[in-house]
Amino acid sequence: MKTSAAQVWTCVLFVWFLKKADGKTQDVHVTCQYSEDCVLPCSFTPSGGEEIRWFRRDALIYSHPQGTNRPDELFIGRTSISAHKLSLGNASLILQRCVLKDRGRYRCEVTKGGKMDSFVVLKVEAPIRSVNLKITRLSGFEEVKCSTCDVYPAPHVFWSTDPPTPVEELKYTTRKMADKHGLYVIDSRLKRLGQRSKLTYICIVNSSSAAQTWTTSLTETVHNNVTLISMLYAFSTWTEINSAEGQDITIPCRSPWNLQNFTLTWSFTTANMSTIIYTYDSKTQEISNRWNGTAWLEPQSVQEGDGSLRLCSIQNLEHIGVYTCNVSAVQKNYVAQTRVNVTSPRDSENENLRMHTASRPWWIPVAVVLTLMIIFAAIIVGIVKLQNKCSKTKTEGTARYSKEVKVTVDKGEETMEEGRRLTSDPSKEHT
């Protein structure tokens, strides 16, 4: 009964440790943009003399120091590791000019005595750069054409009008064609509706990840039998930033267009309350900063269309929320929303400790558990054998003693001696 209970507890502990060990080998997911450089993270505890190898689907793509094995041809001349950062325990791989074929699972192998593996899953995306909307007559009848190109993955296209038109009357077709590089060309055409005094065609293009939304509208206004056409372009993005308390961060906001006269407004929303924190007018050069000393923009960068907001020494309670950048100009409007999460130093230390623990090879805790199991089982078996031996020895000793000892009564006197001394010779008794 005791042995069975011990075995059950051993199995329970073994399964628990396996689950804990399995949770420490999670992949790191990285998303990079097409044709731009990318960094695949890998860290270790440096002691000097480590050998670094990077693999993609078991094919060698980089080694330090260089060995005799030739790396995959797709990555020759495009991979590197910072020697300075390597001495600090950073073996992150710099992958230049990302292409769609770079997608997949990568393995960072650090070897010195033992071997440590970590894994990175790379996604490559080509974001929407622009959306064009125009009226065309190439198909024999008039259509409103909405198009974009060099996008990956293929985005989704939706049509609507203002005033609203019943769905069954919006007859459109969308074609998504991939070029030789795997990038998509999108061509969506809506049959032009009957002439009205004023009608706005709206084409919405959403990226697959929902991080980008382009809204392009074309308005037809009929006045004295003359049709006037006006265009409006709107672009919105959504991102998220995680940072430790007390750090400086940069919240991105860059217009996709080269604008001359525009206004830029930054607002901060938390607990359903919105506050304007920064405004800029490119025409008058007028600036209003309500977070002076905490938030600022680079004037030269703003004039070039980069309205990224710099926040100094962010705090946990004060700066958590959604930051919205609005760049508005004639016929164009850009909105960038960013969610900022701030962690305390204690949370950061716990996360670093978790990441450091997760970077250890999975087989170490398993080996420790197996060793403890073997020792524990050996102790149980030894105790059981010892108990059986003692019980057997006691039983045999009692049986042997009972066979060798006899009791005889001679002439009224009780005498107890060993067997040979108390047994008389039968032949002498008869004579």
Side-chain angles (χ1 to χ4, degrees):
M1 187 70 180
K2 293 181 179 179
T3 305
S4 178
Q7 291 175 346
V8 170
W9 277 108
T10 302
C11 292
V12 171
L13 289 173
F14 179 64
V15 172
W16 182 79
F17 273 107
L18 280 181
K19 289 184 177 180
K20 296 291 287 183
D22 183 66
K24 296 177 182 178
T25 59
Q26 295 180 354
D27 295 348
V28 176
H29 292 263
V30 174
T31 301
C32 295
Q33 292 192 7
Y34 181 85
S35 77
E36 296 187 3
D37 295 349
C38 183
V39 177
L40 307 184
C42 178
S43 59
F44 62 95
T45 302
S47 59
E50 290 85 3
E51 295 181 3
I52 311 297
R53 294 183 182 87
W54 275 92
F55 298 86
R56 177 180 176 272
R57 297 176 183 173
D58 295 328
L60 180 68
I61 63 173
Y62 181 85
S63 62
H64 176 86
Q66 291 185 354
T68 57
N69 295 332
R70 182 179 176 84
D72 191 308
E73 293 184 359
L74 178 64
F75 297 90
I76 293 178
R78 297 199 300 127
T79 56
S80 62
I81 290 179
S82 171
H84 172 67
K85 293 182 178 180
L86 187 62
S87 62
L88 302 177
N90 187 344
S92 299
L93 184 72
I94 302 173
L95 181 58
Q96 300 176 350
R97 306 180 301 279
C98 282
V99 295
L100 296 182
K101 291 183 179 180
D102 293 337
R103 292 171 296 158
R105 192 168 186 252
Y106 292 74
R107 175 166 59 93
C108 173
E109 179 185 287
V110 181
T111 306
K112 186 182 180 183
K115 185 176 71 172
M116 186 202 76
D117 289 340
S118 59
F119 298 89
V120 179
V121 177
L122 173 63
K123 291 175 58 179
V124 179
E125 296 182 353
I128 305 168
R129 302 292 184 183
S130 65
V131 174
N132 298 317
L133 191 63
K134 65 180 180 179
I135 296 176
T136 178
R137 297 175 177 83
L138 296 179
S139 301
F141 51 87
E142 292 183 332
E143 296 175 319
V144 183
K145 177 182 176 181
C146 180
S147 61
T148 186
C149 61
D150 298 335
V151 181
Y152 186 88
H156 307 289
V157 181
F158 306 93
W159 285 91
S160 63
T161 62
D162 185 22
T165 301
V167 177
E168 58 272 12
E169 295 184 20
L170 291 177
K171 300 179 180 180
Y172 66 92
T173 57
T174 301
R175 297 179 180 178
K176 303 178 181 180
M177 300 162 286
D179 60 17
K180 62 180 182 180
H181 302 293
L183 303 179
Y184 282 95
V185 177
I186 309 300
D187 187 326
S188 185
R189 304 191 182 202
L190 171 67
K191 187 176 181 180
R192 191 178 182 186
L193 302 176
Q195 194 173 40
R196 306 179 190 180
S197 60
K198 186 175 182 180
L199 182 64
T200 299
Y201 296 91
I202 303 171
C203 176
I204 300 175
V205 183
N206 282 339
S207 64
S208 296
S209 61
Q212 287 184 304
T213 300
W214 283 78
T215 303
T216 308
S217 61
L218 183 151
T219 302
E220 290 184 320
T221 305
V222 179
H223 183 69
N224 294 331
N225 294 327
V226 177
T227 302
L228 304 176
I229 297 178
S230 61
M231 300 289 298
L232 178 63
Y233 301 91
F235 176 43
S236 62
T237 61
W238 171 265
T239 56
E240 188 169 356
I241 295 177
N242 299 308
S243 178
E245 189 175 13
Q247 298 293 318
D248 298 344
I249 64 172
T250 299
I251 307 175
C253 176
R254 185 172 184 85
S255 171
W257 309 288
N258 293 322
L259 305 176
Q260 297 299 323
N261 297 322
F262 65 90
T263 59
L264 182 148
T265 303
W266 272 100
S267 61
F268 173 64
T269 304
T270 183
N272 296 325
M273 294 183 61
S274 183
T275 304
I276 295 177
I277 58 177
Y278 196 102
T279 60
Y280 170 78
D281 190 319
S282 66
K283 188 175 182 179
T284 63
Q285 302 292 308
E286 184 177 351
I287 296 175
S288 175
N289 187 356
R290 297 186 179 181
W291 280 14
N292 193 18
T294 301
W296 62 283
L297 277 72
E298 181 64 41
Q300 183 63 33
S301 299
V302 174
Q303 295 177 8
E304 296 173 355
D306 185 358
S308 299
L309 184 71
R310 278 76 171 176
L311 291 181
C312 302
S313 187
I314 58 175
Q315 301 301 315
N316 194 358
L317 298 178
E318 298 178 16
H319 300 129
I320 293 179
V322 177
Y323 294 78
T324 302
C325 171
N326 190 314
V327 180
S328 181
V330 178
Q331 298 183 334
K332 292 181 174 64
N333 186 68
Y334 171 59
V335 176
Q337 289 188 310
T338 303
R339 169 76 185 182
V340 174
N341 301 313
V342 183
T343 58
S344 64
R346 179 177 299 178
D347 294 336
S348 300
E349 291 176 2
N350 293 337
E351 179 66 14
N352 292 335
L353 179 60
R354 188 190 68 81
M355 292 299 294
H356 176 71
T357 305
S359 65
R360 296 175 181 172
W362 65 269
W363 53 265
I364 291 180
V366 175
V368 172
V369 172
L370 290 176
T371 304
L372 292 176
M373 286 180 59
I374 294 172
I375 296 174
F376 188 50
I379 293 174
I380 293 176
V381 172
I383 292 174
V384 173
K385 287 184 176 180
L386 184 59
Q387 288 177 346
N388 293 337
K389 185 176 181 181
C390 292
S391 177
K392 184 177 180 181
T393 303
K394 182 177 180 181
T395 304
E396 291 177 352
T398 303
R400 184 170 60 251
Y401 180 77
S402 64
K403 288 180 181 179
E404 294 179 351
V405 176
K406 296 181 181 179
V407 177
T408 60
V409 179
D410 186 15
K411 296 180 180 179
E413 296 180 0
E414 294 183 358
T415 306
M416 181 183 297
E417 295 184 5
E418 290 185 3
R420 290 193 182 95
R421 298 178 59 187
L422 295 179
T423 303
S424 57
D425 189 350
S427 61
K428 294 181 179 181
E429 292 179 358
H430 290 288
T431 57

